[in-house]
Amino acid sequence: MQTIRNDEPERSTAMPVVALCGGIGGAKLALGLYHILESDALFLILNTGDDFEHLGLHISPDIDTVAYTLAGKNNPKTGWGRRDDTWNFMKALAELGGETWFSLGDGDLAIHVERTRRLKAGESLSQITDDISRAFGISAHLLPMTDDPLRTVIETEEGALPFQDYFVRKQSKPAVKKIAFEGADTALPSAAVMNALQLPDLRAVVICPSNPFLSIDPILAVAGIRRALTDCSAPVIAVSPIIGGQAVKGPTAKIMSEFSMLSTARAIADYYGELLDGFVFDNTDEAEASGSPLPYLVTQTLMESLEDRKQLAHDVLTFADTLNARPAKAGVAGPQ
Ligand code: FO1
């Protein structure tokens, strides 16, 4: 581990931490952070580029994955959906010849129905998400990146595919040529997102080990968020989603090769570029870490158990505290 200074006093667990998070992979580290921080110190900025209308319902997969995970209601086998859910609705839908490529459990349906009803009544996604997380007893702040429509569209060898068509229906098989974020030119970040990034005593901004292209880029595409990250007082640290050249889950490594990138953790750090103040490599990638121009930490990033999630969260924040000792980031400019 390379540090700037190691004699800083330990930071309080009550100091706020912001994390940018997609679905399954990101939710693991979010849970670790949630466990080690004081109850309301965690602010999660969540990707809504995967949201879509399906069967007349507004589905927000990453918000729901994180909410279920923090509430202990998540399905540990799939990573998405509710623990111990039943599938009567899907069976009945199949009997009618309805669309069954996207699986909605009976209990999971409640969140989609309620969200859709409230959106149609004119409430914001932020307000609805906040109410759902309070109803689940979650004390962290779950913040959709925007209340405006922003949809990830994957331009593939088979043509342009809405995100869930690419990811679930086509199982991420078509080669990706480009990724677009429809609505990004008009989508605004919610006030809660900007407030979180401007908290004066912010301890760290953590980019979870989510897919950079599919889960983090949509967040960065919302006007003002990238700039708020480069301007914020806290160090911005990304945790590598690549370990030993492979993604723990999902198509990150596949997309990297389709974009003619090396499937390495270093390539992820380079991709985030000037946004970062620090990068976290897995132990497996220690050799490539040593050439990193950024301050870095080498630790276990594979999160199999709850203990692993908490340990990684602790390691990342301890690393952030060493970077906090650096002069303020004031004046650092970055692309919007
Ligand atoms: N992922 C799948 O691979 N297959 C599904 O049928 C599926 C259903 C589903 C329902 C609700 C939900 O909140 C998530 C669901 N996901 C499913 C996960 C989701 O599509 C992706 O994991 C995320 O969008 C990527 O982060």
Side-chain angles (χ1 to χ4, degrees):
M1 169 178 161
Q2 177 184 314
T3 57
I4 305 299
R5 281 175 60 184
N6 58 11
D7 55 352
E8 281 298 296
E10 205 171 300
R11 307 268 163 166
S12 154
T13 53
M15 284 176 75
V17 170
V18 168
L20 275 57
C21 187
I24 301 164
K28 291 184 183 176
L29 182 55
L31 182 65
L33 290 164
Y34 184 51
H35 271 268
I36 68 163
L37 290 170
E38 278 185 25
S39 60
D40 63 349
L42 180 61
F43 294 77
L44 295 168
I45 303 180
L46 303 174
N47 171 38
T48 58
D50 300 8
D51 287 21
F52 73 132
E53 297 286 328
H54 184 58
L55 306 175
L57 300 172
H58 181 107
I59 319 278
S60 295
D62 287 358
I63 292 176
D64 294 349
T65 295
V66 171
Y68 288 147
T69 301
L70 266 52
K73 295 179 188 296
N74 60 307
N75 181 334
K77 288 197 197 95
T78 55
W80 51 266
R82 280 183 84 123
R83 183 183 296 265
D84 301 327
D85 216 339
T86 52
W87 301 94
N88 295 312
F89 167 72
M90 290 308 290
K91 282 183 208 142
L93 188 63
E95 204 176 34
L96 296 173
E99 280 195 57
T100 54
W101 61 273
F102 195 82
S103 303
L104 297 172
D106 298 334
D108 185 37
L109 266 178
I111 209 168
H112 313 306
V113 170
E114 183 61 1
R115 175 188 294 118
T116 306
R117 180 190 71 74
R118 292 182 60 177
L119 283 171
K120 285 200 169 140
E123 294 187 62
S124 71
L125 187 61
S126 292
Q127 184 58 56
I128 299 164
T129 303
D130 194 54
D131 289 345
I132 290 170
S133 65
R134 303 291 152 224
F136 282 178
I138 298 168
S139 55
H141 306 269
L142 269 51
L143 312 177
M145 64 191 198
T146 178
D147 287 323
D148 299 325
L150 185 153
R151 298 289 170 262
T152 301
V153 176
I154 316 295
E155 291 175 21
T156 73
E157 56 188 1
E158 299 178 15
L161 297 170
F163 179 81
Q164 297 296 347
D165 279 65
Y166 161 78
F167 195 82
V168 175
R169 203 201 286 254
K170 303 261 181 185
Q171 297 177 359
S172 310
K173 283 185 185 143
V176 178
K177 295 205 279 195
K178 208 177 144 208
I179 299 170
F181 305 112
E182 269 181 10
D185 43 355
T186 50
L188 294 173
S190 70
V193 163
M194 294 310 272
N195 287 342
L197 290 171
Q198 286 162 5
L199 287 166
D201 55 345
L202 194 58
R203 183 177 178 187
V205 176
V206 179
I207 301 181
C208 289
S210 300
N211 185 311
F213 317 103
L214 300 177
S215 300
I216 303 300
D217 277 353
I219 302 177
L220 300 176
V222 178
I225 292 190
R226 183 182 281 274
R227 185 52 170 266
L229 288 180
T230 53
D231 285 355
C232 81
S233 56
V236 178
I237 294 163
V239 178
S240 179
I242 293 287
I243 300 178
Q246 297 194 323
V248 178
K249 201 171 189 321
T252 309
K254 177 175 172 284
I255 293 175
M256 290 176 88
S257 74
E258 288 160 356
F259 284 175
S260 304
M261 295 168 70
L262 288 175
S263 304
T264 61
R266 265 294 290 280
I268 299 284
D270 292 346
Y271 182 74
Y272 283 129
E274 291 190 351
L275 197 62
L276 300 184
D277 299 298
F279 192 76
V280 180
F281 291 86
D282 187 74
N283 289 326
T284 311
D285 298 315
E286 189 166 12
E288 62 177 273
S290 58
S292 169
L294 265 181
Y296 65 86
L297 169 72
V298 178
T299 188
Q300 182 185 324
T301 64
L302 187 66
M303 293 173 279
E304 287 175 323
S305 65
L306 176 60
E307 281 315 305
D308 293 342
R309 289 158 172 73
K310 286 160 57 178
Q311 185 62 51
L312 179 59
H314 175 270
D315 292 349
V316 170
L317 293 184
T318 307
F319 175 49
D321 294 344
T322 67
L323 303 179
N324 259 327
R326 292 195 306 167
K329 288 166 45 178
V332 179
Q336 263 291 31

